[in-house]
Amino acid sequence: MLAIIKREILSYFSSATGYIILAAFYVFGGFYFYMTSLASNTTDLSYTFSSLFIILIFIIPILTMKLFSEEKKQKTDQALLTAPISLTSMTLGKYFAAIIMYLFCITITLIYAIIVSFFNSPDWAIFASNFLGIFLLGSALIAIGMFLSSITESQIIAAIGGIVIGVLMLFIESIAHAVSVEFISKFLNKISFMNYYDDFTLGIISLENVVFFLSVCILFVFFTIRVFEKKRWS
Amino acid sequence: MVEVKNLSKKYCNKDALCDVSFSLNDGEVLGFLGPNGAGKSTTMNIITGYISSSKGTVKVDGDEILENPIAVKRKIGYLPEQPPLYVDMTVKAYLSFMYDLKKVKLNKKQHIEEICKLVKIDNVYNRIIKHLSKGYKQRVGIAQALLGKPKLLILDEPTVGLDPNQIVEIRKLIKTLGEKHTIILSSHILSEVQSVCNRIIVINNGKIVADDTTSNLSSDFSTENRLILSIEGDEYTILNELKNIAGVKNVTVNKSEPDAVVNYIVIYDKNKDIRSTVFSKMAEINCPIVSMSNNNMTLEDVFRKLTSEN
């Protein structure tokens, strides 16, 4: 698993992808930080974190689009699937590599907190809750993106699929309001990422929210493993 | 070393493999021969654990692939038809990654250096793979298969797409590897299998249609022998003498240029050897034999016969 993690992280930086992802996240994150915190004269970073969801919708699909689709296209998946490692190790290796790359992105928020601390000490507990929230949200989106990448050979399709799901998650609450059938409306509210993420931005770490995001991560990592299992047997 | 029993594979209700069974001893170099789509790659993919069979078992060195896939994969070095190369990496980084992926427990630097020298890629060690020629890429593919000193090497069409010089070099390399490893080599190029392997399995439409040594295959399927002679002297006399030898069925003359020595193609009984008789007859009539060679049924003839019959 470690070999795969190392290779994946190196591959982000052997092409422009890694640098573009980091640059885009830092530029747009910095913009939101300036607008919602510095320009608004507040040390509350909740608005910044809340706005970061929109960036994640576009950044994470770029991060995950080539995880498996490129392997399939270049037929390098044969090296992984015939190596003496389990499918779980292979999938988790890819997943953790994307998570580490994602951590490189979101640790910039720590710098935002340090900058704010020059003006007034921020509420570190709320910051920690926000950080955990954005970490879990990103991890769930990465798991979905990785799954999409495992079912197609095209990076573009994987990326567009990821963006569509992200946008859907952003608007699912509005859709739920518009739906008149109660159980559908309830169901849509139950799967809305925004619903679960908002609590973290308010400094609330509830077990339900943590379990929700962890469940999404586990479910889609499992689905990815099943994709390869199915391919082997079909 | 390898024991394949009743292997079958279905793709969408179509039989890609049907009841394939064979075994392979330590140190053997087995050629897997068959036309495109015959089931060669499917068999190899099942042995390596890349795909699973619909029926049947594969044992490598006592371990069954479905029961103990990781142990089996450790014993196999696999070069698929398209080498699984991360083209954005250098040869050094790629081999280092594959070494870690295969969890090899040898001296890393020394082991990789040895392999690079063996497959002659030490001069491109620090170059990015996408900038290498096809021949070098194939060598890098072979190098990754050799990592961890696997007992069994599986090479799927290792010379496809290479130029004639590269083909000769890769064949030489495979011959060298055959001294230390058990090898399964798939190809649809007959001369390749003939020059490298000591045993051949011919597969067609997912079924094994022949399994024998190269020479046995040629002799088993031939019904007559062929002798090609170059003889100096009067053409008419020589023809008469050759036709009168017991067992000779037919003699044809093949003269490429007017002044050249005449070539005679003598077809004779499969169970007879007329070479010494021909020699003494020609000596009697004072016609020196410049060259004499036995040209029995070639592997190509056997292959065509086997695959067209099915």
Side-chain angles (χ1 to χ4, degrees):
Chain A
M1 192 201 295
L2 283 176
I4 295 175
I5 294 175
K6 195 174 146 196
R7 200 211 85 78
E8 282 304 314
I9 291 175
L10 285 176
S11 87
Y12 280 121
F13 293 106
S14 67
S15 66
T17 318
Y19 299 101
I20 289 172
I21 289 169
L22 289 178
F25 193 91
Y26 294 165
V27 166
F28 291 109
F31 171 74
Y32 281 123
F33 170 58
Y34 177 77
M35 293 300 287
T36 59
S37 181
L38 296 183
S40 310
N41 291 322
T42 171
T43 56
D44 184 4
L45 288 172
S46 300
Y47 297 110
T48 313
F49 275 101
S50 193
S51 315
L52 286 179
F53 191 173
I54 298 162
I55 308 176
L56 297 191
I57 289 171
F58 297 96
I59 293 291
I60 286 180
I62 298 171
L63 194 69
T64 56
M65 64 183 187
K66 76 180 192 88
L67 281 178
F68 284 113
S69 56
E70 188 67 3
E71 299 265 3
K72 284 172 138 186
K73 196 175 175 187
Q74 303 292 339
K75 306 255 183 240
T76 45
D77 59 336
Q78 278 191 311
L80 301 178
L81 293 167
T82 57
I85 53 163
S86 64
L87 286 179
T88 312
S89 296
M90 178 190 82
T91 312
L92 286 179
K94 292 267 182 186
Y95 182 60
F96 289 144
I99 295 272
I100 291 169
M101 191 64 195
Y102 176 62
L103 275 172
F104 286 150
C105 291
I106 60 169
T107 40
I108 192 79
T109 57
L110 198 63
I111 294 171
Y112 302 160
I114 293 167
I115 293 169
V116 164
S117 71
F118 286 119
F119 300 100
N120 193 7
S121 175
D123 190 334
W124 288 106
I126 292 185
F127 173 80
S129 158
N130 271 304
F131 192 85
L132 178 67
I134 201 159
F135 172 72
L136 288 172
L137 171 70
S139 304
L141 288 173
I142 287 171
I144 295 172
M146 181 175 73
F147 167 71
L148 291 172
S149 173
S150 72
I151 54 174
T152 174
E153 276 186 18
S154 160
Q155 290 191 43
I156 305 291
I157 292 173
I160 292 173
I163 292 170
V164 167
I165 288 177
V167 172
L168 207 66
M169 285 300 151
L170 192 65
F171 294 116
I172 205 162
E173 268 183 290
S174 319
I175 299 168
H177 284 303
V179 175
S180 52
V181 185
E182 200 189 334
F183 81 93
I184 295 177
S185 171
K186 265 188 182 171
F187 172 74
L188 292 176
N189 269 320
K190 281 281 173 201
I191 60 163
S192 164
F193 279 24
M194 241 353 211
N195 249 347
Y196 295 94
Y197 178 57
D198 277 345
D199 280 352
F200 287 103
T201 62
L202 300 172
I204 305 163
I205 302 177
S206 96
L207 188 65
E208 186 198 349
N209 298 341
V210 173
V211 168
F212 172 78
F213 283 122
L214 286 180
S215 307
V216 174
C217 298
I218 294 168
L219 193 69
F220 279 92
V221 167
F222 173 73
F223 283 161
T224 311
I225 296 169
R226 294 300 302 164
V227 168
F228 288 100
E229 197 75 51
K230 184 180 173 287
K231 187 187 168 191
R232 183 171 281 178
W233 287 97
S234 60
Chain B
M1 180 74 207
V2 182
E3 208 183 324
V4 174
K5 267 188 191 167
N6 311 106
L7 209 61
S8 298
K9 178 75 181 173
K10 276 189 178 184
Y11 288 121
C12 309
N13 288 329
K14 192 182 169 268
D15 284 329
L17 277 185
C18 194
D19 223 19
V20 168
S21 299
F22 64 91
S23 58
L24 188 62
N25 297 323
D26 267 341
E28 259 189 303
V29 180
L30 172 74
F32 228 58
L33 202 63
N36 289 329
K40 306 186 294 285
S41 294
T42 305
T43 311
M44 292 184 157
N45 283 334
I46 293 173
I47 297 172
T48 56
Y50 181 59
I51 55 171
S52 296
S53 58
S54 310
K55 239 170 63 183
T57 56
V58 175
K59 272 186 184 174
V60 178
D61 209 18
D63 287 309
E64 218 275 319
I65 183 75
L66 289 177
E67 284 169 8
N68 204 349
I70 290 180
V72 171
K73 287 172 182 180
R74 262 186 221 284
K75 291 169 192 164
I76 297 175
Y78 181 39
L79 173 72
E81 194 176 343
Q82 188 180 331
L85 305 174
Y86 293 97
V87 291
D88 55 344
M89 293 174 106
T90 61
V91 174
K92 181 185 176 184
Y94 172 70
L95 291 179
S96 171
F97 163 66
M98 290 306 292
Y99 178 96
D100 294 336
L101 187 71
K102 292 185 176 189
K103 297 171 186 167
V104 182
K105 288 183 177 63
L106 297 163
N107 183 318
K108 189 174 182 179
K109 197 170 171 246
Q110 193 189 342
H111 182 52
I112 293 178
E113 271 175 13
E114 275 171 15
I115 289 173
C116 287
K117 267 186 197 155
L118 179 68
V119 300
K120 292 178 186 158
I121 51 168
D122 40 349
N123 51 334
V124 293
Y125 191 50
N126 288 309
R127 284 179 60 185
I128 293 173
I129 295 173
K130 71 176 156 199
H131 297 148
L132 299 179
S133 69
K134 186 124 188 7
Y136 269 120
K137 282 181 184 163
Q138 201 72 10
R139 281 165 187 271
V140 177
I142 295 175
Q144 66 79 25
L146 289 170
L147 286 167
K149 297 185 179 170
K151 286 185 176 177
L152 174 67
L153 270 182
I154 298 183
L155 310 171
D156 194 356
E157 307 205 4
T159 58
V160 77
L162 301 181
D163 71 36
N165 290 335
Q166 291 169 333
I167 289 175
V168 172
E169 283 178 11
I170 295 285
R171 280 183 197 165
K172 254 190 219 168
L173 176 63
I174 296 168
K175 268 188 180 173
T176 317
L177 296 173
E179 291 162 11
K180 286 183 182 170
H181 301 264
T182 306
I183 298 181
I184 300 180
L185 170 96
S186 105
S187 181
H188 58 264
I189 305 164
L190 303 147
S191 56
E192 181 167 290
V193 175
Q194 206 161 13
S195 68
V196 176
C197 307
N198 37 37
R199 187 179 143 204
I200 292 172
I201 286 180
V202 183
I203 188 163
N204 192 34
N205 290 332
K207 288 176 188 162
I208 290 181
V209 286
D211 179 357
D212 214 329
T213 59
T214 319
S215 50
N216 279 355
L217 266 181
S218 304
S219 57
D220 283 355
F221 283 86
S222 56
T223 49
E224 55 204 14
N225 283 341
R226 248 185 309 196
L227 196 63
I228 298 176
L229 297 153
S230 297
I231 308 171
E232 285 178 357
D234 180 52
E235 195 180 312
Y236 180 74
T237 322
I238 295 170
L239 259 177
N240 265 345
E241 283 297 329
L242 289 174
K243 279 179 181 169
N244 288 334
I245 295 171
V248 169
K249 290 178 178 175
N250 189 23
V251 182
T252 48
V253 176
N254 182 9
K255 196 174 184 183
S256 53
E257 287 168 39
D259 298 329
V261 178
V262 182
N263 284 336
Y264 300 86
I265 300 164
V266 184
I267 310 286
Y268 61 100
D269 275 350
K270 187 190 170 184
N271 303 324
K272 283 201 169 177
D273 189 354
I274 58 161
R275 285 174 297 182
S276 50
T277 320
V278 170
F279 185 81
S280 19
K281 288 276 179 191
M282 291 304 114
E284 269 174 28
I285 58 170
N286 208 17
C287 292
I289 297 172
V290 180
S291 77
M292 181 194 291
S293 66
N294 238 340
N295 184 357
N296 296 338
M297 196 175 189
T298 63
L299 193 58
E300 204 155 321
D301 301 324
V302 176
F303 178 74
R304 246 187 253 127
K305 195 173 175 184
L306 284 169
T307 51
S308 59
E309 273 175 3
N310 289 276

